[in-house]
Amino acid sequence: MFSIDSMKSPSMPDIGQTGRVLVVEDEDLIRDMVVLALEGEGYAVTSAIDGRTAMSLLYELEPRAGELPFDLIVLDLMLPQVNGLDLCRLLRHQGYAVPILILSAKGSETDRVLGLEVGADDYLTKPFSMRELIARCRALLRRQRLNYLPQPSVLQFGDISLYPQECRVIVRGEELTLSPKEYRLLELFMSYPRRVWSRDQLLDQVWGQDFIGDSKTVDVHIRWLREKVERDPSQPEYIITVRGFGYRLG
Ligand code: CA
């Protein structure tokens, strides 16, 4: 069922693949075959024999907030300790967008649907060929590069809630009407709370580098944004002026 010759790469062997893959599988034979196949493709592979080990690898190695130390997780469903579905659900709940390929001995439609419902990106039923596995992994990693920016469903700061996928902002229970530039400014501030932005950086980020104009444009938009967001725009609590530098949120 897991034949060695099917592990040969279907693609050109001289193109090395890049990507860090975590393989979570409790069956030694399958885990070893999967690791070997992915390493043969040039991926950096780490393996875990159960859900708890996987979690400690995911979280202990976490280099910075919002980014896991892996680009892809190959995840068995039936695992000792923490099972694959719960692990998948947890990662998605925490907002991690890392692609997840589920491996399962169960082939029923219900399991497949359940796996995709908790946020897996793809699903392979055992037995599978290594060629198929590699093709799926490669597709997931490619897709991930296209939309690598994880989009949280809500950004929260004090009384402000910003919903990036809907471009909506609620402040103290009221929905704001913002111009696109005001919205982008606020989204940028809320993505990096307390970070100080110079006027030039804000121009680059929000207006784009082609913008011809001066940094007073920023001040004008900040004033408009304060009028909408602040309780008392003359005493801002949110969008703070940092003298000699620029602006920051909070
Ligand atoms: Ca298993």
Side-chain angles (χ1 to χ4, degrees), residues 152-157 160-164 186-188 190-191:
S153 56
V154 60
L155 295 169
Q156 190 82 44
F157 192 90
I160 311 174
S161 309
L162 184 146
Y163 301 86
L186 187 60
E187 186 185 38
L188 185 65
M190 291 190 66
S191 301

Side-chain angles (χ1 to χ4, degrees), residues 40-222:
E41 289 295 300
Y43 296 115
V45 187
T46 307
S47 62
I49 57 165
D50 58 52
R52 192 167 294 165
T53 311
M55 282 179 68
S56 56
L57 283 168
L58 282 162
Y59 295 110
E60 275 170 19
L61 295 173
E62 186 179 3
R64 46 200 148 125
E67 200 185 314
L68 293 172
F70 299 101
D71 304 307
L72 171 68
I73 302 174
V74 177
L75 184 63
D76 181 30
L77 217 50
M78 301 292 283
L79 288 166
Q81 315 279 1
V82 181
N83 77 42
L85 280 181
D86 287 342
L87 187 59
C88 191
R89 197 181 281 125
L90 178 73
L91 288 171
R92 293 305 186 234
H93 183 72
Q94 292 174 335
Y96 292 113
V98 59
I100 298 174
L101 170 63
I102 280 184
L103 304 180
S104 178
K106 302 173 166 184
S108 80
E109 189 66 15
T110 338
D111 287 326
R112 203 184 72 83
V113 170
L114 201 56
L116 298 176
E117 252 172 26
V118 297
D121 298 274
D122 204 353
Y123 192 100
L124 262 182
T125 302
K126 296 174 192 171
F128 51 86
S129 76
M130 292 300 142
R131 187 187 294 260
E132 178 73 19
L133 173 90
I134 284 164
R136 303 280 186 105
C137 288
R138 193 175 288 161
L140 286 173
L141 284 162
R142 202 165 41 225
R143 201 194 311 165
Q144 189 220 6
R145 281 193 202 102
L146 293 179
N147 49 30
Y148 62 96
L149 276 181
Q151 275 239 317
S153 56
V154 60
L155 295 169
Q156 190 82 44
F157 192 90
D159 291 335
I160 311 174
S161 309
L162 184 146
Y163 301 86
Q165 283 148 20
E166 300 159 41
C167 297
R168 285 170 66 225
V169 179
I170 311 275
V171 178
R172 293 176 287 279
E174 301 269 339
E175 181 156 359
L176 297 188
T177 309
L178 297 177
S179 73
K181 292 286 187 267
E182 292 163 355
Y183 175 82
R184 295 289 166 216
L185 267 175
L186 187 60
E187 186 185 38
L188 185 65
F189 281 130
M190 291 190 66
S191 301
Y192 302 89
R194 298 186 208 284
R195 172 180 166 159
V196 178
W197 296 89
S198 72
R199 289 169 178 79
D200 284 342
Q201 287 171 330
L202 291 173
L203 277 177
D204 276 358
Q205 293 289 328
V206 175
W207 280 264
Q209 296 187 336
D210 303 333
F211 176 76
I212 300 170
D214 66 60
S215 55
K216 291 212 174 55
T217 309
V218 175
D219 299 330
V220 171
H221 280 79
I222 292 281

